Amino acid sequence: FISNFMKSFKEIMYPSNKKKRKRRIVLYVFILLLVGVRIWLPFFLRDKIVAAVNEVEGYECTLEDIDLHLFRGAMIFKEFEIRITDNEVSKPFVYCKNADISVEWRAIFHGSIVSEVILDQLELYFADGNSEEEEQAGDASWVEPIIDFIPLKINRFVINNGQIEFENMVSEPPVNLKLSQLQLV
């Protein structure tokens, strides 16, 4: 049994026919290319998204990592942060621990191909002050480059454990309003 198995294994791994050997080499090269593209793709997407948001005037984006889950059609942005560059406010305008953008599988069973976005620990920070350098209000122009990377219509949008904060430290008395543990669907 073992000798027959070894002969079969040798034939599979080292075929005697040149045509079979050539096919096997092509198959191995193709598999190697697929693995290489899969390893390279998250880095490429992260750099493209950060560059696209940074092109929007007045905003700076940082993104620690992107995880791709091809089997469920998802991208997960980790430690996503947007800062407004036109002010002196130290806190980021937008921070999100995890942004999960994926295909909504329930909708596929009903005949439509759409996406869902789940934001975990989203934080929005607004500030008011005596001058524009002390203020932070922002707008939604930084969102457009990110939405361009989502090829599907967003059908479901969820925020888990979000927080919205507003501060005005120059008013009398100082104002610090927080809306925390925000759950939104």
Side-chain angles (χ1 to χ4, degrees):
F1 171 77
I2 292 176
S3 64
N4 287 338
F5 175 76
M6 291 305 290
K7 285 179 185 177
S8 300
F9 181 74
K10 276 187 175 179
E11 183 61 34
I12 290 171
M13 295 307 290
Y14 308 106
S16 58
N17 187 336
K18 285 187 179 186
K19 194 172 189 179
K20 285 182 181 179
R21 187 174 297 162
K22 195 173 191 178
R23 284 183 190 163
R24 187 161 319 270
I25 290 172
V26 168
L27 178 66
Y28 289 154
V29 168
F30 181 72
I31 290 171
L32 194 61
L33 278 172
L34 282 178
V35 169
V37 166
R38 174 59 184 91
I39 291 170
W40 166 79
L41 193 56
F43 298 104
F44 173 76
L45 288 174
R46 184 190 69 197
D47 293 344
K48 283 291 193 185
I49 290 170
V50 168
V53 174
N54 286 343
E55 284 180 9
V56 177
E57 187 175 330
Y59 293 95
E60 180 181 82
C61 173
T62 57
L63 177 58
E64 187 173 310
D65 190 22
I66 290 183
D67 286 344
L68 293 179
H69 295 246
L70 298 178
F71 65 93
R72 67 181 190 99
M75 284 189 298
I76 300 174
F77 297 175
K78 295 195 174 207
E79 304 286 332
F80 181 71
E81 187 175 278
I82 301 288
R83 291 189 175 274
I84 297 178
T85 59
D86 299 339
N87 63 26
E88 297 173 358
V89 178
S90 61
K91 289 187 179 180
F93 175 53
V94 176
Y95 169 81
C96 186
K97 181 142 180 92
N98 290 316
D100 187 333
I101 303 165
S102 65
V103 172
E104 186 178 21
W105 290 101
R106 281 181 280 163
I108 287 178
F109 298 124
H110 291 75
S112 57
I113 301 175
V114 292
S115 66
E116 68 179 340
V117 177
I118 300 172
L119 305 176
D120 291 324
Q121 298 178 10
L122 174 70
E123 297 175 9
L124 300 175
Y125 179 76
F126 300 94
D128 193 14
N130 289 330
S131 65
E132 285 188 21
E133 287 80 28
E134 296 173 341
E135 295 176 356
Q136 180 161 279
D139 59 21
S141 61
W142 61 270
V143 175
E144 290 302 319
I146 296 171
I147 290 180
D148 290 343
F149 278 89
I150 304 172
L152 306 172
K153 179 182 137 196
I154 298 172
N155 194 43
R156 186 166 186 260
F157 184 82
V158 178
I159 296 176
N160 293 323
N161 198 20
Q163 175 177 300
I164 300 173
E165 183 176 359
F166 172 77
E167 280 188 327
N168 185 338
M169 300 314 266
V170 296
S171 68
E172 219 25 75
V175 175
N176 186 350
L177 300 172
K178 276 188 186 177
L179 178 63
S180 60
Q181 297 179 356
L182 178 67
Q183 304 293 329
L184 177 82
V185 177

